[in-house]
Each structure stands twice: as structure tokens, then as C-alpha cells.
Amino acid sequence: MGTRRSPQYQHAKRVILVIANIVMALFLVLLFSWWFLNHHFNGQVEAQYTNVAQRALKTTVPPAARQDLQTSHDRWQWAFTDHSRQVWQHFTTDWAKRQERAKLVTDLYADKDHYQDGVTSARLNTIDQTLLQEKNSTVYQDQKNRLDTVQVWFQQTTDANTFIQKIYSDYSATKVVPTLQ
């Protein structure tokens, strides 16, 4: 015949099982929360891209969305997986590079109808090559159009300076007043 366990033993066994189930449930809730946090954060960051694989940011990344992501990152970075950290790093890098490219083009303008002094053909070519790093075609085209405007102004100024220098050197050499022809 089997031996029957004492009531204290049966009670202790039930308490241990209840405690083990509670600990297991807490562990599962924490594990699910951790997974959800990372999944949700990655989804929020990836929502700022039109194409995540190519790392093409949306045409406009709203400042409020970026600030919310930064706040979430600062608050929960200790709980993020390596993948979440990598996704965030890619986003901040892509966004910062876009801002730098936009600043390069903006810095060419003195105002809406003039370009800055000190613009050179080499600088324009360098910025033109830099703009090719933009993966969003709409943003690229907008920045390229602004750059092309400055390039046209610069070329017109260069052509005018060449023409004026030629006229002036002819006048200096011959002292004949130039005509409109």
C-alpha cells in the first residue's frame, strides 16, 4: 500500500506550487513586456522610413515624432536589444546626414535670390556628389533643384565676370571705349 503524506506536507507542496506559478507568470509577463517594448520601439523607428532595407527616410520626419522617439530611447535604452540599438543608431545617423546635406545647400544661399560669397565650382561639385547619398528621391530632387539654382547663378556670374574682364582688358590695352556691339 502507498504511504499517505501528512497534511502539512500537502499544504507546503501546494504553497510551493502556487509560488512557483506566480514566479513563472511574473517571468512570462516581464519577458513579454520586454519583447513588446523592443518590438514597439522598432516599429516606431521603422515607421519613419519609406524603405527600411535601403534606409530611405520618409520625405518629412516630423520633429514631434523624432522627439518622442528620442524620449523613448532615453527612457528605455537599458532594456533594448542589440537590434533595437542598431535600428536607433541607423535612424539617428540617417537623419543627421540628411540635416547636414540640407545645411550644405542652405549655406550656399545669402538670401532667396542670391548665393553666398566664396562659392566655388569645386564646392558646388562636392555638394552635388554629397547629395547623391540621399535615398529618398523626393528629398534628393528638392535639394538638387536648390543646388542647381545656385549652380546656374554661379555660372552666370562666372560668364559675366569673364566677359567684363575681356572688355576691361581690351579697353586697358587699346583705350578704345567699348560699344554695345
Side-chain angles (χ1 to χ4, degrees):
M1 295 238 170
T3 60
R4 186 154 160 89
R5 304 282 176 156
S6 70
Q8 289 96 1
Y9 177 78
Q10 294 292 333
H11 179 69
K13 185 177 175 182
R14 272 189 234 126
V15 169
I16 290 173
L17 283 174
V18 167
I19 291 172
N21 284 333
I22 289 172
V23 168
M24 182 62 90
L26 284 174
F27 176 75
L28 290 175
V29 166
L30 288 173
L31 187 62
F32 177 75
S33 297
W34 176 69
W35 172 84
F36 181 77
L37 172 71
N38 280 280
H39 181 72
H40 179 70
F41 182 76
N42 290 346
Q44 292 290 343
V45 172
E46 290 171 356
Q48 303 309 310
Y49 287 90
T50 57
N51 187 326
V52 177
Q54 292 180 353
R55 291 176 53 186
L57 286 171
K58 285 183 175 178
T59 303
T60 56
V61 176
R66 189 181 174 293
Q67 185 59 39
D68 289 345
L69 288 170
Q70 182 68 52
T71 301
S72 293
H73 176 264
D74 293 345
R75 180 177 298 138
W76 298 107
Q77 69 180 355
W78 58 271
F80 288 150
T81 61
D82 289 341
H83 177 70
S84 294
R85 287 185 187 102
Q86 182 183 27
V87 167
W88 175 250
Q89 185 61 42
H90 286 173
F91 171 72
T92 56
T93 301
D94 296 340
W95 187 82
K97 284 183 179 179
R98 177 180 283 179
Q99 297 304 101
E100 288 171 17
R101 288 188 295 271
K103 185 174 179 349
L104 285 173
V105 173
T106 301
D107 287 348
L108 294 173
Y109 285 82
D111 58 42
K112 73 177 198 160
D113 295 326
H114 300 90
Y115 64 90
Q116 292 281 357
D117 291 338
V119 171
T120 63
S121 181
R123 182 175 173 196
L124 291 171
N125 290 337
T126 301
I127 293 172
D128 196 10
Q129 290 301 311
T130 303
L131 292 182
L132 291 173
Q133 296 171 2
E134 177 60 56
K135 296 184 175 101
N136 183 307
S137 60
T138 304
V139 173
Y140 168 77
Q141 197 58 55
D142 179 54
Q143 291 175 344
K144 178 70 171 147
N145 289 345
R146 293 184 70 217
L147 176 66
D148 287 347
T149 300
V150 173
Q151 285 176 319
V152 167
W153 291 342
F154 179 77
Q155 190 60 46
Q156 288 173 342
T157 303
T158 304
D159 292 347
N161 285 342
T162 302
F163 178 74
I164 290 171
Q165 286 295 336
K166 181 186 177 306
I167 297 258
Y168 181 72
S169 65
D170 288 348
Y171 171 75
S172 296
T174 64
K175 300 295 185 206
V176 174
V177 177
T179 65
L180 290 176
Q181 295 174 349

